[in-house]
Amino acid sequence: MKEKQKAPQEAAEEKKPETAEQQKEAAVYNTPTGRPDLDPRKKPRKEWTKLEKWFRTLHHLQHIWNIFLPLKKHGHREYYNDGAYIIVGNHHSMCDVVPTAMSSYRPVHFMAKQEIWNVKPGAWFCEKSDAFPVARDGSDFKAMVKAMKLLKDGEMVAIYSEGTRNKTKEIFLPLKSGAASLAIKTRTPIIFCMQLSKMKSFRTHHVYYSEPFELSQYYGKKLTPELIAEADSVILEKMYENYFILDEEVNGKKDRKKLAKELKKRKKAEDKARLLAEKQAAKNPAQASSD
């Protein structure tokens, strides 16, 4: 019996690592060999694609361009790092890609107008960012198929629904129908990225990121022109809603600060006038008593 009991103990001793370094590794990873590279529970390091490396580089450069184009986030301040999303933003300048790309650590695939590929810097950036061209009227079938494939793969797609840069005094230009039909067909949540004005160097630029919003009331329905127009109006309404939330947070605070400053100035003037009246009354008590 004693010999039978010793047999398993001797087998266990044979499996123990011989060197102190192997014993330490075995204690950490709890593996018979003491080799962490053979531990099946250890997750292999993810290999980034060229596109992921490019967007990671852009994020690292954020500290540099924040000196020239400082951004301040409002609304949803965490990164959208999980699941497919359609980012809908208003469009003032080419720099609008910066706050849009900063919405996530993951790559953001831009739907860009075809004319950008005619300019070398724009074509270079679009190629690096895996952007794809689209007709401005939102009727580009090839671009829609590409966007649907990306969303089904869990990627993020950015669309400037106005179709071009807004150089007017209006808050928004008339919207194109691409974002609404894409969101309904793929049942993908929409994120609104709203800005009050064009980005300017060395001035704080305020950006509002919304909570994910879905057009779930249209899921499963036949996409008629009337239904798409109705969905576009819902998107436009949400754009206005998020725009005015940002406007209240930025300009509302400025107005309240201005009002508080004016009240403080008025109170100071009133206190000064009261002290002056008291001094005059102390100098001429007879006149003050007759009054």
Side-chain angles (χ1 to χ4, degrees):
M1 290 293 291
K2 290 182 179 180
E3 291 179 359
K4 289 183 180 180
Q5 289 177 356
K6 286 181 180 179
Q9 291 179 1
E10 291 174 358
E13 287 176 359
E14 289 177 0
K15 290 182 180 180
K16 285 183 180 180
E18 296 178 357
T19 64
E21 187 178 356
Q22 287 180 341
Q23 288 177 2
K24 187 178 178 181
E25 291 179 351
V28 173
Y29 296 100
N30 195 23
T31 57
T33 60
R35 293 182 58 186
D37 56 317
L38 297 180
D39 187 356
R41 296 169 302 169
K42 188 180 179 183
K43 293 182 179 179
R45 183 179 176 182
K46 181 185 175 183
E47 292 294 331
W48 290 344
T49 63
K50 287 184 179 180
L51 185 61
E52 288 173 329
K53 288 178 181 178
W54 167 244
F55 273 87
R56 289 278 176 171
T57 303
L58 292 179
H59 273 275
H60 290 314
L61 293 174
Q62 181 183 2
H63 303 291
I64 297 174
W65 65 49
N66 266 348
I67 300 172
F68 306 99
L69 297 171
L71 292 178
K72 185 174 181 181
K73 287 186 174 184
H74 298 262
H76 188 100
R77 302 193 183 189
E78 296 178 0
Y79 289 110
Y80 305 94
N81 287 332
D82 58 328
Y85 293 106
I86 298 171
I87 305 176
V88 174
N90 54 339
H91 199 15
H92 293 285
S93 70
M94 296 298 292
C95 293
D96 294 339
V97 298
V98 175
T100 306
M102 292 301 104
S103 63
S104 175
Y105 271 114
R106 295 183 295 152
V108 177
H109 303 268
F110 291 91
M111 264 190 173
K113 61 182 181 181
Q114 295 173 339
E115 291 79 2
I116 293 179
W117 272 261
N118 298 332
V119 183
K120 284 187 177 181
W124 176 83
F125 180 83
C126 288
E127 292 296 331
K128 291 284 286 184
S129 303
D130 196 29
F132 52 99
V134 62
R136 291 191 184 189
D137 59 359
S139 61
D140 194 325
F141 178 75
K142 187 177 179 180
M144 291 295 287
V145 171
K146 166 91 173 174
M148 288 175 67
K149 185 180 183 303
L150 288 168
L151 292 171
K152 286 180 179 178
D153 291 340
E155 301 290 337
M156 300 181 72
V157 174
I159 302 174
Y160 297 109
S161 294
E162 294 166 288
T164 187
R165 287 170 286 177
N166 185 358
K167 298 179 181 179
T168 69
K169 294 182 179 180
E170 299 295 327
I171 297 177
F172 302 123
L173 297 176
L175 302 188
K176 308 302 179 184
S177 59
S181 57
L182 191 61
I184 295 169
K185 286 178 180 178
T186 59
R187 303 191 176 192
T188 304
I190 297 172
I191 295 166
F192 295 98
C193 177
M194 293 292 107
Q195 306 169 74
L196 295 179
S197 61
K198 183 178 178 180
M199 298 182 77
K200 295 180 181 179
S201 302
F202 304 107
R203 293 189 183 181
T204 302
H205 188 71
H206 300 270
V207 186
Y208 185 86
Y209 298 96
S210 74
E211 296 295 329
F213 168 77
E214 293 192 55
L215 295 167
S216 54
Q217 64 270 35
Y218 302 106
Y219 291 170
K221 294 183 179 180
K222 185 178 179 181
L223 290 182
T224 61
E226 293 77 16
L227 187 140
I228 292 174
E230 185 181 333
D232 283 334
S233 65
V234 174
I235 288 179
L236 182 60
E237 185 179 339
K238 293 296 292 184
M239 288 176 69
Y240 273 111
E241 180 184 325
N242 291 290
Y243 178 91
F244 286 123
I245 290 173
L246 178 60
D247 183 58
E248 171 61 25
E249 288 190 11
V250 177
N251 297 323
K253 287 180 181 179
K254 289 181 181 178
D255 293 340
R256 286 191 289 272
K257 285 181 181 179
K258 188 177 179 181
L259 180 61
K261 191 175 181 179
E262 288 178 358
L263 290 173
K264 188 177 180 180
K265 188 177 179 181
R266 189 183 301 174
K267 187 177 182 300
K268 190 176 180 179
E270 289 174 355
D271 291 342
K272 189 176 181 180
R274 181 175 53 79
L275 288 171
L276 185 61
E278 288 176 357
K279 285 180 180 180
Q280 289 177 353
K283 289 179 180 179
N284 302 313
Q287 187 178 356
S289 60
S290 64
D291 292 341

